[in-house]
Amino acid sequence: MNGKITIRDVAKHAGVSPAAVSYVLNGINKVSDETKQRILKAVKDLEYEPNLTAVSLSKRKSNVIAVMFPLVNDSLVTMFKDNHYQSEMISGIEYVLRKNGYDLLISGVQSPSECMKWIRKRNVDGLLFLGVFPNRLYEEMKALSKPIVLVDTYDKYERYFNHITMNDEEGGHQATKHLIDLGHSAIGFIAHRMTNSPIDYKRFIGYEKALKAAGIKPCKSHVFEALDSSFENGYRMGKELLSRPHSMSAFFASSDTLALGIMKALQEEGKRIPEDYSIVGFDDLTFSSYATPSLTTVRQDVFNKGSVAATAIIQAIENDTTALQHIRLSTELIHRESTAKKKG
Amino acid sequence: MNGKITIRDVAKHAGVSPAAVSYVLNGINKVSDETKQRILKAVKDLEYEPNLTAVSLSKRKSNVIAVMFPLVNDSLVTMFKDNHYQSEMISGIEYVLRKNGYDLLISGVQSPSECMKWIRKRNVDGLLFLGVFPNRLYEEMKALSKPIVLVDTYDKYERYFNHITMNDEEGGHQATKHLIDLGHSAIGFIAHRMTNSPIDYKRFIGYEKALKAAGIKPCKSHVFEALDSSFENGYRMGKELLSRPHSMSAFFASSDTLALGIMKALQEEGKRIPEDYSIVGFDDLTFSSYATPSLTTVRQDVFNKGSVAATAIIQAIENDTTALQHIRLSTELIHRESTAKKKG
DNA sequence: TTGAAAGCGCTAACAT
DNA sequence: ATGTTAGCGCTTTCAA
């Protein structure tokens, strides 16, 4: 039951050499149809499963993809917390890899050398980087011979790696246009951080373009930086927004968590959403639809993003075309209860 | 740079045999201190990293732990969605494994044979099952020779596997006692499902015991089944609770998602939380503290749960004591805004 | 068409 | 204390 049936056993059972079995299993057309059938039967009979460790050693290919997360405080937790985002992405990745006979290794990494280790130690066939890593890591990775796919990273490295991003500019545009269409013209944009975050910057560009297209002059005093994307910071921003006189009637926040925090602060100050203020988020977290009012947001299909990333890396591994893939996925505006026609 | 430095290269560089290098690397005390230093230096000089595939083949130990998720609709997504729970657990697992030199393989599985495959194919050293799988899977796994740790599963298999659970009865007790202490006596319990879910049943037992301890007679009409733990179902339950006359002034829901759904429904019907109804959840999801009002709940330390699970499997692998581990972790009541003293 | 045998890189029993 | 060597299970060249 717990036996270790090897290729030898199968060979013996079929009255052939191990080599013949290997040929059949690898689809190498070197064996007569008759013996092939005999071998296949032996495989079935013995419930033979090739030992992938041995295969890996021999072929120098492991069929393992490593998914790398940046480490914060030496653990993945900050990455994962607050966000079903990463988990849904993993689901997408796992799905595609499983369907294609690859296995999924997960690890947090901090230094480039750690990645090297993965390649050397585990012989992984490809690396998937989720999120933003220290710059030097990318620098060193350039030299790597294994396929790499970056998800959600700086364009800066476009020239060196495959990568998958969302169309953040489009998303920013959708959110802003939605508010404009509802009659809002003084629209605040709350970024996570503007400098140093190409993602937020893209969303900002979309925001600006939508305003201009509607003949509204963007106003610097309507743009804010929350400094991180936590609920707490959104809450603080919300309080701050109300603490000064302003003309804004709508806010577009660069993440749902931020938007939810803002919303809570405004409500606490006695403001009604969407009657007094309309709010749009970005991401479409599960809980955004549970909030009161439910949050209008720019949705990313994260499962899909994971699938696409996995598909890309498999392609990069299996086709040895050197062409890098740059895939930009679309966003979608989800209209819920937190936005409404401007009063008056 | 991209070289494949083998143990042979190191041996040559140090002027010794491959065996000597292997001994040093594996801490086998068979080498003079002097040559040991020489070997260590060679390892450094050449930046040698052992090829784990080869090690694995040779030692018949891979230092890989497979984490299994049940597949729903052929993907992990339903598992992960709605719930930072699983991701936080993975963080905990990853942390401990990484610190102990193990790698983390993730896969969705449906059938027992798939697990067997993992063991045979990848030579994994241990299996971690997260969540609830088809029964036949457990049945077949009994025969397995590799260490297995179950997280959050039926006690039914206690005799066969290691497992980690929360003290659900304690949790149910804490939640109920908290409400009783606030002056509530007619307390509704909303289970995910009572039959077939040992977890919810345990929480129910805790609920019942707390009532009895306070001299309150449990009332069947105060116990409800939502049938799943979704927000939507909680919402539906909330509406239903109000649709009939009743005396309840507080609710204890078996998950935060459910509690949040109930809360939204009650609020929509014009009820104020906690003035009209107190509500307690279970889990302490991140978003529970963001809700308005923020949710009082029974907290599970999920990162810790993951760490404990990982520690347990490593122990099971490395010590060959046959004693199974059954670890029950404590819960903690988090008092927030959704509960208050009963009026009047 | 088939098979013998030499690796893949490392470990461990056995000799020296 | 150190080295030799036969595996681990599979692939693949080369010869038959």
Side-chain angles (χ1 to χ4, degrees):
Chain A
M1 169 76 256
N2 198 2
K4 30 195 76 190
I5 305 115
T6 76
I7 201 170
R8 255 167 244 284
D9 300 322
V10 178
K12 208 167 291 172
H13 191 92
V16 294
S17 79
V21 179
S22 174
Y23 291 144
V24 172
L25 259 35
N26 289 290
I28 295 169
N29 217 12
K30 273 190 153 200
V31 164
S32 76
D33 220 56
E34 191 247 332
T35 47
K36 184 173 173 178
Q37 294 314 319
R38 209 146 26 94
I39 290 171
L40 254 23
K41 184 170 177 310
V43 168
K44 272 259 164 74
D45 284 357
L46 303 179
E47 295 188 320
Y48 170 67
E49 293 279 354
N51 177 330
L52 291 190
T53 310
V55 174
S56 174
L57 182 59
S58 185
K59 283 201 191 165
R60 255 135 302 167
K61 174 171 192 305
S62 60
N63 273 46
V64 169
I65 306 289
V67 174
M68 308 298 208
F69 290 92
L71 244 27
V72 182
N73 293 326
D74 204 22
S75 100
L76 310 177
V77 78
T78 353
M79 194 65 223
F80 272 129
K81 204 151 178 169
D82 271 14
N83 227 327
H84 70 164
Y85 184 94
Q86 300 295 357
S87 355
E88 225 167 292
M89 184 118 67
I90 291 185
S91 304
I93 294 170
E94 192 270 346
Y95 182 83
V96 171
L97 293 188
R98 179 157 39 84
K99 291 300 176 190
N100 287 277
Y102 284 83
D103 293 333
L104 167 51
L105 211 51
I106 285 202
S107 175
V109 280
Q110 253 160 339
S111 70
S113 65
E114 287 173 296
C115 298
M116 306 305 228
K117 254 189 218 165
W118 281 104
I119 296 182
R120 283 220 253 281
K121 280 170 52 180
R122 286 281 178 209
N123 233 315
V124 300
D125 296 337
L127 265 35
L128 223 49
F129 287 84
L130 262 44
V132 177
F133 294 77
N135 265 343
R136 74 196 148 96
L137 198 144
Y138 297 109
E139 292 301 332
E140 295 213 21
M141 289 302 102
K142 285 187 207 166
L144 232 52
S145 54
K146 298 280 178 175
I148 291 184
V149 171
L150 267 32
V151 180
D152 289 331
T153 333
Y154 306 99
D155 310 324
K156 183 173 167 189
Y157 296 100
E158 275 197 351
R159 306 174 39 204
Y160 306 101
F161 306 108
N162 301 286
H163 79 302
I164 319 288
T165 51
M166 298 307 296
N167 194 333
D168 290 294
E169 185 180 321
E170 176 195 44
H173 195 280
Q174 286 168 336
T176 313
K177 179 154 189 319
H178 169 70
L179 292 169
I180 294 170
D181 289 346
L182 289 170
H184 299 277
S185 53
I187 299 171
F189 174 62
I190 296 90
H192 162 197
R193 49 176 75 249
M194 290 288 283
T195 49
N196 206 2
S197 165
I199 290 178
D200 277 22
Y201 185 69
K202 289 268 182 67
R203 293 176 189 173
F204 171 71
I205 295 295
Y207 158 83
E208 225 179 25
K209 283 193 181 168
L211 289 180
K212 284 178 181 160
I216 302 168
K217 196 170 160 238
C219 171
K220 275 198 177 155
S221 67
H222 290 173
V223 178
F224 306 85
E225 272 191 291
L227 296 181
D228 80 38
S229 69
S230 68
F231 180 84
E232 286 74 13
N233 252 324
Y235 181 82
R236 218 167 296 141
M237 281 298 317
K239 295 282 186 179
E240 202 179 310
L241 290 171
L242 293 186
S243 69
R244 278 171 298 188
H246 69 267
S247 58
M248 294 176 283
S249 63
F251 300 109
F252 164 36
S254 198
S255 78
D256 276 8
T257 338
L258 222 45
L260 259 13
I262 294 171
M263 196 155 87
K264 175 145 189 165
L266 299 194
Q267 285 173 327
E268 247 182 49
E269 297 294 322
K271 304 301 177 190
R272 288 164 312 154
I273 317 288
E275 291 83 355
D276 299 327
Y277 291 99
S278 280
I279 298 186
V280 182
F282 205 111
D283 283 343
D284 195 23
L285 303 186
T286 313
F287 277 86
S288 303
S289 59
Y290 300 168
T292 308
S294 57
L295 188 69
T296 295
T297 190
V298 177
R299 165 156 223 267
Q300 319 189 34
D301 185 343
V302 186
F303 182 88
N304 179 245
K305 197 167 172 180
S307 312
V308 168
T311 307
I313 195 126
I314 291 176
Q315 230 163 64
I317 291 167
E318 298 185 350
N319 314 349
D320 19 35
T321 53
T322 37
L324 293 178
Q325 304 176 62
H326 302 303
I327 302 175
R328 198 173 294 285
L329 301 170
S330 284
T331 54
E332 178 192 2
L333 186 99
I334 307 291
H335 187 176
R336 297 211 185 86
E337 301 164 356
S338 68
T339 51
K341 273 221 152 70
K342 183 170 187 297
K343 280 188 306 186
Chain B
M1 167 78 254
N2 198 2
K4 31 194 73 187
I5 305 114
T6 76
I7 199 169
R8 257 168 243 285
D9 300 321
V10 178
K12 207 168 292 173
H13 190 90
V16 295
S17 78
V21 180
S22 174
Y23 291 144
V24 172
L25 259 35
N26 289 289
I28 295 169
N29 216 13
K30 272 189 154 203
V31 164
S32 76
D33 221 54
E34 191 248 330
T35 48
K36 184 172 174 178
Q37 294 314 320
R38 209 147 24 94
I39 290 171
L40 254 22
K41 185 171 177 309
V43 168
K44 270 260 163 73
D45 284 356
L46 303 179
E47 296 189 320
Y48 169 68
E49 292 279 357
N51 177 329
L52 291 190
T53 310
V55 175
S56 173
L57 183 59
S58 184
K59 282 201 192 165
R60 253 138 304 168
K61 174 169 192 307
S62 61
N63 272 45
V64 169
I65 306 290
V67 175
M68 308 297 207
F69 291 91
L71 244 26
V72 181
N73 293 326
D74 203 21
S75 99
L76 310 177
V77 78
T78 352
M79 193 66 221
F80 272 128
K81 204 152 178 167
D82 270 16
N83 227 327
H84 71 163
Y85 184 95
Q86 300 294 356
S87 354
E88 224 167 294
M89 185 119 66
I90 291 185
S91 303
I93 295 170
E94 192 270 348
Y95 182 83
V96 171
L97 293 189
R98 178 157 40 84
K99 292 299 178 193
N100 287 276
Y102 284 84
D103 292 333
L104 168 52
L105 211 49
I106 284 203
S107 176
V109 282
Q110 254 160 341
S111 71
S113 66
E114 287 173 295
C115 298
M116 305 305 227
K117 255 189 217 165
W118 280 105
I119 296 181
R120 283 220 253 282
K121 280 169 51 180
R122 286 282 178 208
N123 232 316
V124 300
D125 296 337
L127 265 35
L128 224 48
F129 287 85
L130 262 44
V132 177
F133 293 77
N135 265 342
R136 76 196 147 96
L137 199 145
Y138 297 109
E139 292 301 333
E140 294 212 20
M141 289 301 101
K142 286 186 204 165
L144 232 51
S145 54
K146 298 281 178 174
I148 292 184
V149 171
L150 267 31
V151 180
D152 289 330
T153 332
Y154 306 100
D155 310 324
K156 183 174 167 188
Y157 297 100
E158 276 198 349
R159 304 176 40 205
Y160 305 100
F161 307 107
N162 302 285
H163 79 303
I164 320 288
T165 51
M166 298 306 296
N167 194 334
D168 289 293
E169 184 180 321
E170 176 194 43
H173 195 280
Q174 287 168 335
T176 313
K177 178 154 191 316
H178 169 69
L179 291 170
I180 293 170
D181 288 346
L182 289 170
H184 299 276
S185 54
I187 299 170
F189 174 61
I190 296 92
H192 163 198
R193 50 176 75 249
M194 289 288 284
T195 49
N196 206 3
S197 165
I199 290 177
D200 277 22
Y201 185 69
K202 288 268 183 67
R203 292 176 190 173
F204 170 71
I205 295 296
Y207 159 84
E208 224 178 28
K209 283 194 182 166
L211 289 180
K212 283 179 183 161
I216 302 169
K217 199 173 157 230
C219 171
K220 272 196 181 158
S221 66
H222 290 172
V223 178
F224 306 84
E225 271 191 294
L227 295 181
D228 80 38
S229 69
S230 67
F231 179 84
E232 287 74 14
N233 252 325
Y235 181 82
R236 217 168 297 142
M237 282 299 315
K239 295 281 184 178
E240 203 179 309
L241 291 170
L242 292 187
S243 68
R244 279 170 300 189
H246 68 266
S247 58
M248 294 177 282
S249 63
F251 299 109
F252 165 36
S254 198
S255 78
D256 276 7
T257 341
L258 223 45
L260 259 14
I262 294 171
M263 196 155 85
K264 176 145 188 164
L266 299 193
Q267 285 173 327
E268 246 181 49
E269 297 294 323
K271 305 300 180 191
R272 288 164 312 154
I273 318 287
E275 292 82 354
D276 299 328
Y277 291 99
S278 279
I279 298 186
V280 183
F282 205 112
D283 283 343
D284 195 23
L285 303 186
T286 314
F287 277 86
S288 301
S289 59
Y290 300 169
T292 309
S294 57
L295 188 68
T296 295
T297 189
V298 178
R299 163 157 225 267
Q300 317 190 35
D301 186 342
V302 185
F303 182 88
N304 179 244
K305 198 167 172 181
S307 312
V308 169
T311 307
I313 195 125
I314 292 176
Q315 229 164 62
I317 291 167
E318 299 186 349
N319 314 349
D320 19 34
T321 53
T322 37
L324 294 178
Q325 304 176 63
H326 301 305
I327 301 174
R328 196 172 296 284
L329 301 170
S330 284
T331 54
E332 179 193 0
L333 187 98
I334 307 290
H335 187 177
R336 297 212 186 87
E337 302 163 355
S338 68
T339 50
K341 274 221 150 72
K342 184 169 186 297
K343 279 189 307 187

